[in-house]
Structures are given as structure tokens and as C-alpha cells.
Amino acid sequence: MKGHARVVVIGGGAVGVSTLYHLTRKGWSDVVLVERKELTSGSTWHAAGLLPLFNMSYSVGQIHKYSVALYQTLEAETGQNVGFSKVSNIRLALNRDRMDEYHQYAGVAETIGVEVEFLTPQQVKEIWPLCNAEGLVGAIRHPEDGYIQPADLTQALARGARQGGAEIYRQTRVMGIERKPSGEWLVRTDKGAITCEHVVSATGNFARQTGAMVSLEIPVIPVEHQYIVTEPHPEIVRRHEQGMPEMGVLRESDGSWYLREEAGGLLLGPYEKGAPCCYTDGPREDAEYELFQDDLERLTPHIEAAINRVPAFGEVGVKEVYNGAIPYTPDGSPIIGPAWGLRNFWLNEGHSFGITAAGGAGWQLAEWIVEGEPTIDMLGVEPRRFGDYASKAYLRNKNEEAYANVFTIHYPDEERAAGRPLRMAPCYDRMKARGAVFGQKLGWERPNWFAPEGVPQEDHWSFRRSKWFGHVGNECRNVAENVGLLDMTAFAKARVSGPGAEAFLDHLVANRLPQKIGRVNLCHALNTRGGVHSEFTIMREGPESFYLVSAGAWQRLDHDWVTKHMPADGSVQFQNLTGAMGVLVVAGPKARELLQRVSGADFSNEAFPWLTGKEIDIGLAPTRALRVNFVGELGWELHHGLEYQNHIFDALMEAGADLGLKPFGIRAMDSLRIEKSYRLIGTELSIEYAAYESGLERFVHPNKGDFIGRDALVRWREQGLANQFVTLEVHDTTDADALGNNPIYQDGKLVGRATGGNYGFRLEKSLALAMVRPESSELGTELEMDILGTRHRVTVIPESPYDPENQRLRS
Ligand SMILES: Cc1cc2nc3c(=O)[nH]c(=O)nc-3n(C[C@H](O)[C@H](O)[C@H](O)COP(=O)(O)OP(=O)(O)OC[C@H]3O[C@@H](n4cnc5c(N)ncnc54)[C@H](O)[C@@H]3O)c2cc1C
């Protein structure tokens, strides 16, 4: 066994071996993999091998697409057959909402280049004659989809990796991982120790045990999953004898099951409610090729649904039942990327569709390790999208919920119930008493909208304008006419200070830092390729101290980014203030009058201009007011110690009663921000788009001195930009708006995608934000955009269609 390697990958399932393989493809041959038992002896060996391309996430969709393409090339490259059966995959729809979901998905698929066809019930019957078409409203089909032999796939990847110089140590268990004084890692195994630059954890059901070796709480706990294999069915055997093709994979999402042919019989895999978490304290030390006792009773409703759809399934006996562990995360997507707080420690864990994802996950992780950056937007699978709140008890709740919801309709405004409420701002009860219907971000409860008196305080999800649409409209109008109050306590907040703080931050962001104490600037941190990684609102609070505010959803990611870039000489200190500070936003033309009633401070334009901050009192409570907001009205963000929040809340509500002060929620905020063309990280801002493509020219100063991503960004512009951020007016919509990932066409050709959209209540227009080819971005250009299967005329309009001169913000 080698005593030194560049990378040690821990775990010999499909995911770990794919990572090893892709490292060698990137030219790193001094890499090893350590597996405690045999390759595939974790979850990989018993997987059904399905390769579902379907996924609503842009990141996961691209990962799956890559895998399916790669797997078809492996035999030619390695000589190992992987048993790829490209039999296609049909997903049935039994209702209109499901069809809406498929249309929304088809948009994601088209923008990433995955082929999808829509089928009528009759066409389903032609391809799947054993399927009863009763009650179907339609279906989609992926012709490129199919299944594979997971063990053969893993062996092929292992062979490819070995050909590239990698070594694989089977029957070798990692017992401990330590950081050496040199900064390298020391991986201790039962067969000796290996010093390395990078460690990759790809340990499936053991993720939490591996994490514990480096004090990392990895948010993965597996859930039991079963599938049933039947005896051969005479009709299927007859079809084979007559040389007819396999009928392919069939999924009835509304019945929550998948089905395919297996050795002349059928293989049925239901995703049921009540499947329990397993291995909550990790598998046994000697666990290998492990299965659990089957429990067919929990599957009964799904088996009945399957028999109703494919009666043949009920006509043959059960040959075998597999009940195995699938690693799960709270949202069901894997975690692929850097571990927080540790340099050169990488996670490729939490894979619930790990056979499908292995190829793409290994590819992007290898890019990240070797090049320092991934090449696709990985936010959907980012390990730092969770936080400390993801306790073991939370994971048990959420992961079971994620499993039970694999096949439920993935509405864009869906808010799942398990593990809530958990993180609550002090004003939570006050908001609830005023009708708040909550959503959740990074564990925080945030009002999404407010049910007026007499309206049930319950959410209603849809791909179209939902029951809450009109109420959100009233919230928006109240912000435009009077003044609204928004809880943004979930914001990530931090202090960066010390003698080196200014130089450090200046190098971290593309904008100039605020020079005067009390000035506020919007600053973007680019990655080394010139794409946008993070967005910070930065206030200079002292000669050597800066206050940073960024998206609540990305708190761990943003703070990890800052701290990992900090110099090691102690000249810069970082303090996470997220859990200590609350934020209430007051916005609207009467915001000034409201604040004057509760504070002795001067809120006039002269004393308190736009983009400045001050320490003031609200009632009796010390507060930091920043004159910025995300809704395009006169307004202030009020940052305060959480213990003062209710005092401030009550003072505002009391003073604002006759000004029409009303709380508003995140859904109103989204509508208001779209009318201002304000970008968000993860949609309009992404590492896949150059900061210039996202239209950030006024926030990027290549001449200010060096900063991360500057040279790459300048080169990117010189080589030519492929996209341009635009604002679109959507015509002829009556009940649905763009949701993001809507394909955009010019003369029938795909020229871009919407990144977000909403109805703008102040403008009374349906709007979308989008990335299109530069030649299609001229003002006034007429394009077409797909919304739920209908092509709409859209026009490129000037940015910030609401108050383009920002007069209201500055008023
Ligand atoms: C019944 C069932 C059906 C499934 N069907 C499908 C399907 O059709 N399609 C699909 O995409 N997915 C499917 N899955 C999910 C799939 O099996 C997993 O997502 C996938 O196998 C995960 O691969 P992995 O490499 O992450 O983990 P694993 O295959 O579990 O590999 C992890 C490896 O790490 C090793 N390891 C752990 N700790 C250490 C240590 N300290 N030292 C050394 N080695 C260590 C383990 O021994 C293990 O071999 C199914 C799962 C089940 C249970």
C-alpha cells in the first residue's frame, strides 16, 4: 500500500469509484481508493439500476445527463460490459397538476439538452401493451433512459481508473483521519496510513461515521427502500421469444412506483409513506451486502395501484424482495463538493439515486478538486446548503419525508412540513397572529404570505397562480401605497474586522468597498473563472470593520467562502452574527414617517441618504438601520439584537396603524424584486454566467486592483459573452407566469432560458428575468417563451421596469 498519494477516496461504491475514475481522467494518476470490504458491497450491489433522467433540479439534471452519456461509452473504453439497456422510460400522469409538473420539467430538460417526448394514453398503450390506460391524461417519455447493472458499472469505472494509474485497496478500513502540521491529511487504515493532499468521503451509509472522524455532522441518514421481483410472466416471455423489444421502465408518479421487466418477470419499486430511517448510528462494523427483513405490508397500497395499472403484475408470484438502505438528505438531493470548515476535504455523499448520479457527481467533483472550481452550477447539490440546525433528530424526520415525497408533485411553492417549526425569529408568534403562512429557509420560519381575516391560514401549491395570488397582490399594493413590514431575520450576517480586513475583502469582491464609515455597497464575490459565487451587502462600520449581509439560504456557503479565503496571519477576524441579529424591513412611501414616529433619528434624505447605514434607536432598542431594500421602495432594513425584536416590532406596528402598515411575505417580495430586475444568487447569478452576462457592470471594477476572478472575467469578455441578462414582458398569460428554466425561442430556435418570473402587481404585467443569446437581447426584440407547454410572446423591455430611475428608493 502506498504511504503517500495526492488523493485518497474513501468508499468503493459506484460514487467513490466514479470519483477515482474522473480524477485519473483529469490526469491525476497518484490517487487511491480505500474500501473496507469489496467494491459495491454497500448500497450499490442491490440497486435496481434505473437511470432516471427526470429531475426538477438544474444541477442534478445536468449530472444525470452526463452519467447516462458516459455509461454508454465505458465498454469501448474499458472492455467491461455495463449491462446498459436503453429501453426508455415513461412517466404517467393522472391529473392536470402532474402534467403541469411534466411541462415545467420539460423546460428544464430542454435548456440542458435532455430529450423528452409527450405521449397520449393511446401511445402509452402502444409502447406498453400490458399497461391499462384508464384514467391517464398523458405521459412523458425519455427515449435515452433505461437501466444498467450497478456492479458491472462500478467494475468498469474501477478498470478505467486503474488504467489511468489509480490504485484500489479492498478489505481496507479507514479508522481515522487527521490533519498533519504540514496541512496534508493523514488517513489511518487498518493496513497502514496514507498521507495525502485531498480526502474524498464517498462512504454511502457510513457518511456520518466518516464525518465524525473530522468532527463534521454530515446531513445524511439512510432510509429503507424495497423492490419486488416476480416470477416470469407468460406474456412477457412470449414477447421475448418473438423478438419484441422490452417495454421499458414505467413510472406511475401518482401511485408512487416504478416498474420494469426483469428476466421475463417484473420488478416493482414503490416509494411508500412510513419507510423508516435505518443505520441511524451507522451500519454494523462487519456489514457487507446487507439486506433488511422485507415488509410488504407497508407497500400494499402501491402494489394495488401497480396491479390496477399493470394487471400482469398480480398474475405471477413474488420471486424475491430486496429491502436495502439508500442514503438520504433532508431534500433528497446528494451533497457533492467541499466540506465546510475543512480545506481539501470533499464530500460525495447522500446519494439516493447514486447509480444515476455517480458519473456526473464524480466528474464535477474531480473538476472541483483538480481545477479548483466545478464547471456547472452545483448549488442544488452544494454540501453547504444545510446548517448546524440539521441535527440527527431533524434528519430522521426530514429524510423519511424526502423519501416519501420522491414521487409527489414538486410544486414550485411547495413547503414541506416535517422538522418544523425549528428556527423561529422572536416575532414568529406575532406574525402568525396576523395571518402569516410560513415557509422555511435554512431551518428558519419565514412568512411567505398573510391570510386576511376569514381566509384559512393554509398554503396552496400550484404551478399556476394559486389561491394566495390575490392576497399577495394586496400585500404588494400596500407596500407601493403605504408601508409594509417584512421579516428577514434569516439573512446571513457577519463581521469581518482587523488590520487586514479591508485589503482582504477588497481582494474578495469585484466592487469597491465602501470608504466612508456608514456607507453601504453591493459587492459580488466571483469564483476564479469570473462567474458569480456570492452577493454581499457590505457596510463599513469602522476603519477596520465591515458588516456583511448575504442570502439566508447560503449562510454556511458564504461564510465558509469568506473564512477559507482569510489570511492565516491573524490580521483578519470573522464573526458569524446570523443567530444573534434579527432583521425587519420597512418599505413603502410612508416608511420615513413611520420611522420618525418611533425614533429620534433624522431620516431625511440629507441626513440619511440611500445606501447608508446608521446606529439609531427604535423605541428603546438599539438598532442598525441600513437604507437599502429589495423591493424598490423608500425603505430601511432594521438590524437588531434578537432580544429587541419584539420591542421593535410592537413599536412599529403601534405607530404604523394609521399609516396602513401591514406585514408582507417572501412571495410579495419576489414579485416586487422582479419588477426591479433584482438578481438572486442561484438564478440570475451563477458560476455558469460571467458577472458581465448577469449585467453586473456597475458593480465590477476591473481597474480597482486585483481581485478573485478578475483576470478570468476580463478574458471571458474578450473571448465573447454567450449570454445576456434581460427583463421580459410576457404577453397573453391569464393564469400562469414563468417559474424559471422556461425555454426561450427566436424563430423556433432555443436562444435562452428564463431564470425567474412573476406577476408584477404594481405594473400589472407578467414579467420574467432571463438569460438569452446577446444577439437576441436588443430592447424591443420579440421572442417566444414556454410556460407549462404553451408558447407565449415575450418582449425584451428595459431593466427595472418599475421606477427605472430609482426615484422611489431615493425619495
Ligand atoms: C433497493 C434499492 C434500489 C435502488 N435502486 C436504484 C436505482 O434503480 N437507481 C439508482 O440510481 N439508485 C438506486 N438505489 C440507490 C443506490 O443504491 C445508491 O444511491 C448508491 O448505491 C450509492 O452509492 P455510494 O457509492 O454512494 O454508496 P455505497 O455503494 O454504499 O458505497 C459506499 C462504500 O463505502 C465503504 N466504506 C464506508 N466506510 C468506509 C471506511 N471507513 N473505510 C473504507 N470504506 C468504507 C462501504 O463499505 C461501501 O462499500 C437503490 C437503493 C436500494 C436500497
Side-chain angles (χ1 to χ4, degrees):
M1 190 165 100
K2 279 185 173 181
H4 197 286
R6 203 143 186 209
V7 184
V8 173
V9 178
I10 312 171
V15 173
V17 179
S18 169
T19 311
L20 188 76
Y21 167 83
H22 282 92
L23 285 166
T24 62
R25 284 223 344 196
K26 292 290 301 176
W28 283 22
S29 53
D30 183 17
V31 292
V32 303
L33 183 144
V34 182
E35 163 56 50
R36 50 186 271 289
K37 296 285 183 184
E38 293 296 330
L39 297 185
T40 79
S41 65
S43 275
T44 294
W45 72 279
H46 55 45
L50 304 174
L51 303 174
L53 281 162
F54 182 92
N55 200 289
M56 301 300 279
S57 152
Y58 182 72
S59 312
V60 180
Q62 295 198 75
I63 287 169
H64 286 190
K65 178 190 157 196
Y66 173 90
S67 297
V68 171
L70 170 77
Y71 298 166
Q72 298 175 63
T73 65
L74 283 176
E75 184 174 359
E77 184 191 333
T78 66
Q80 165 77 52
N81 183 303
V82 297
F84 194 113
S85 305
K86 201 196 279 188
V87 292
S88 92
N89 158 7
I90 293 176
R91 298 180 94 93
L92 306 173
L94 273 67
N95 53 62
R96 187 179 92 143
D97 278 14
R98 182 67 73 183
M99 280 312 277
D100 279 351
E101 181 190 44
Y102 291 168
H103 279 293
Q104 176 63 23
Y105 163 71
V108 180
E110 171 137 23
T111 56
I112 61 177
V114 169
E115 199 182 335
V116 184
E117 302 160 355
F118 281 82
L119 301 181
T120 61
Q122 186 50 36
Q123 288 170 314
V124 171
K125 190 90 192 144
E126 282 158 21
I127 300 169
W128 244 96
L130 302 191
C131 173
N132 159 18
E134 205 183 302
L136 297 184
V137 297
I140 52 170
R141 178 170 183 264
H142 286 94
E144 294 297 309
D145 206 312
Y147 62 92
I148 200 164
Q149 298 305 326
D152 296 341
L153 165 70
T154 311
Q155 294 301 343
L157 290 166
R159 212 184 262 194
R162 287 193 185 104
Q163 283 166 359
E167 294 186 11
I168 296 179
Y169 306 124
R170 288 152 41 239
Q171 302 294 342
T172 306
R173 173 190 294 270
V174 173
M175 316 287 283
I177 306 165
E178 292 155 34
R179 175 79 80 184
K180 292 174 83 165
S182 62
E184 291 169 302
W185 291 105
L186 184 73
V187 178
R188 288 189 193 284
T189 79
D190 54 0
K191 305 270 169 67
I194 312 170
T195 298
C196 59
E197 268 174 57
H198 299 268
V199 175
V200 176
S201 177
T203 55
N205 302 318
F206 293 79
R208 287 178 71 74
Q209 285 63 48
T210 318
M213 295 180 194
V214 287
S215 302
L216 210 58
E217 285 265 341
I218 301 180
V220 172
I221 292 186
V223 180
E224 284 185 24
H225 176 58
Q226 308 181 74
Y227 64 79
I228 304 164
V229 182
T230 72
E231 301 288 353
H233 189 284
E235 180 56 20
I236 298 173
V237 173
R238 185 191 63 77
R239 286 176 59 89
H240 287 190
E241 283 166 2
Q242 292 179 352
M244 295 168 86
E246 262 195 49
M247 291 175 289
V249 183
L250 189 70
R251 284 190 171 79
E252 189 187 87
S253 308
D254 300 293
S256 197
W257 52 260
Y258 58 80
L259 186 79
R260 68 166 169 87
E261 292 181 32
E262 171 73 14
L266 291 165
L267 182 159
L268 174 77
Y271 278 84
E272 75 280 23
K273 282 203 173 64
C277 277
C278 53
Y279 295 145
T280 45
D281 294 314
R284 286 189 336 276
E285 211 175 294
D286 60 347
E288 185 178 13
Y289 301 111
E290 193 160 65
L291 291 176
F292 307 122
Q293 179 62 42
D294 61 67
D295 182 356
L296 288 183
E297 213 173 297
R298 328 196 271 270
L299 306 183
T300 306
H302 307 280
I303 294 173
E304 283 168 1
I307 292 174
N308 173 48
R309 186 60 58 205
V310 181
F313 182 77
E315 292 164 7
V316 276
V318 171
K319 188 163 95 181
E320 228 159 340
V321 180
Y322 290 80
N323 183 6
I326 301 195
Y328 256 84
T329 62
D331 60 9
S333 288
I335 52 179
I336 309 167
W340 52 99
L342 300 172
R343 277 177 215 280
N344 296 343
F345 196 96
W346 305 87
L347 302 174
N348 208 345
E349 298 281 15
H351 282 274
S352 55
F353 289 94
I355 309 308
T356 322
W363 163 54
Q364 279 303 305
L365 196 59
E367 290 286 330
W368 216 329
I369 295 171
V370 174
E371 306 289 346
E373 308 281 1
T375 50
I376 64 171
D377 173 6
M378 294 286 278
L379 285 177
V381 295
E382 175 44 76
R384 296 162 289 187
R385 70 186 186 276
F386 303 107
D388 291 340
Y389 64 90
S391 65
K392 193 166 153 186
Y394 176 86
L395 294 176
R396 290 176 79 134
N397 271 270
K398 276 315 249 193
N399 295 10
E400 287 180 6
E401 180 192 56
Y403 176 89
N405 281 287
V406 162
F407 276 116
T408 55
I409 298 176
H410 300 300
Y411 292 105
D413 48 359
E414 178 186 22
E415 295 280 359
R416 293 187 184 162
R420 295 177 52 198
L422 179 57
R423 300 175 90 181
M424 285 169 282
C427 68
Y428 174 85
D429 289 329
R430 283 165 165 74
M431 290 294 200
K432 197 169 183 179
R434 285 168 174 79
V437 179
F438 290 90
Q440 179 272 134
K441 212 30 115 199
L442 213 79
W444 288 99
E445 292 295 316
R446 304 189 305 180
N448 270 342
W449 62 282
F450 288 81
E453 255 192 63
V455 173
Q457 218 165 328
E458 56 194 46
D459 217 356
H460 184 260
W461 309 322
S462 173
F463 289 87
R464 296 168 188 272
R465 293 175 191 164
S466 185
K467 282 186 184 165
W468 46 261
F469 182 79
H471 307 305
V472 166
N474 291 334
E475 290 171 32
C476 293
R477 280 186 285 271
N478 193 57
V479 171
E481 289 160 18
N482 296 311
V483 53
L485 178 73
L486 173 72
D487 173 23
M488 289 300 281
T489 297
F491 267 150
K493 291 139 285 187
R495 171 166 297 124
V496 175
S497 58
E502 179 161 10
F504 161 66
L505 278 179
D506 190 52
H507 189 251
L508 195 76
V509 299
N511 200 353
R512 294 200 176 89
L513 287 178
Q515 289 304 302
K516 276 204 208 146
I517 292 173
R519 273 292 300 184
V520 178
N521 280 1
L522 188 65
C523 300
H524 298 89
L526 311 188
N527 74 354
T528 55
R529 295 179 199 263
V532 182
H533 186 277
S534 302
E535 182 180 76
F536 297 102
T537 300
I538 300 183
M539 172 180 155
R540 184 187 277 263
E541 53 180 10
E544 294 184 351
S545 190
F546 296 85
Y547 181 63
L548 272 61
V549 184
S550 61
W554 304 117
Q555 183 252 314
R556 181 176 263 176
L557 174 68
D558 287 347
H559 289 183
D560 193 52
W561 180 261
V562 174
T563 49
K564 279 201 180 129
H565 282 93
M566 266 165 42
D569 61 9
S571 63
V572 181
Q573 284 88 49
F574 179 86
Q575 196 184 357
N576 177 8
L577 300 171
T578 306
M581 304 280 292
V583 183
L584 295 173
V585 180
V586 287
K590 297 181 185 165
R592 178 174 286 125
E593 192 177 342
L594 171 66
L595 290 179
Q596 273 162 356
R597 289 182 184 185
V598 293
S599 173
D602 183 350
F603 294 92
S604 68
N605 254 338
E606 298 68 40
F608 208 146
W610 187 38
L611 296 178
T612 62
K614 274 188 179 185
E615 309 304 320
I616 61 166
D617 296 338
I618 301 267
L620 305 175
T623 305
R624 164 170 291 176
L626 306 190
R627 192 167 162 195
V628 290
N629 69 76
F630 206 53
V631 300
E633 299 289 347
L634 171 69
W636 280 265
E637 282 179 4
L638 305 173
H639 295 242
H640 48 267
L642 271 185
E643 68 274 34
Y644 301 120
Q645 185 165 77
N646 282 340
H647 177 88
I648 294 169
F649 186 94
D650 292 343
L652 291 168
M653 290 313 288
E654 199 185 314
D658 66 327
L659 297 175
L661 175 65
K662 285 194 183 139
F664 66 105
I666 293 293
R667 290 188 186 149
M669 188 201 78
D670 190 65
S671 159
L672 297 163
R673 71 109 188 166
I674 297 260
E675 288 174 305
K676 290 295 293 173
S677 307
Y678 288 160
R679 289 84 156 151
L680 277 180
I681 289 286
T683 52
E684 293 75 33
L685 305 177
S686 144
I687 62 154
E688 283 188 34
Y689 297 124
Y692 290 130
E693 292 181 327
S694 296
L696 297 184
E697 287 83 355
R698 65 183 185 281
F699 302 107
V700 175
H701 294 281
N703 299 328
K704 75 166 188 169
D706 192 28
F707 57 86
I708 297 167
R710 185 191 70 166
D711 296 348
L713 181 64
V714 169
R715 270 198 309 278
W716 197 338
R717 180 153 68 176
E718 281 164 7
Q719 284 159 8
L721 303 175
N723 300 284
Q724 179 61 50
F725 173 79
V726 290
T727 304
L728 301 171
E729 179 177 350
V730 186
H731 304 284
D732 312 321
T733 49
T734 50
D735 75 335
D737 303 290
L739 294 167
N741 284 316
N742 306 67
I744 297 173
Y745 307 91
Q746 188 169 29
D747 302 325
K749 280 213 302 261
L750 186 72
V751 293
R753 61 188 268 263
T755 50
N758 213 323
Y759 186 77
F761 293 94
R762 293 176 295 195
L763 295 168
E764 299 186 349
K765 283 180 178 166
S766 182
L767 299 168
L769 305 181
M771 286 289 181
V772 297
R773 312 267 326 150
E775 54 277 18
S776 305
S777 68
E778 283 287 303
L779 287 184
T781 307
E782 297 264 317
L783 304 166
E784 280 191 314
M785 181 168 74
D786 181 280
I787 300 180
L788 305 178
T790 304
R791 293 246 177 133
H792 291 267
R793 196 166 56 83
V794 296
T795 313
V796 180
I797 59 171
E799 191 166 305
S800 184
Y802 179 76
D803 187 24
E805 304 299 326
N806 289 331
Q807 283 167 358
R808 295 177 76 98
L809 279 170
R810 296 169 197 263
S811 64

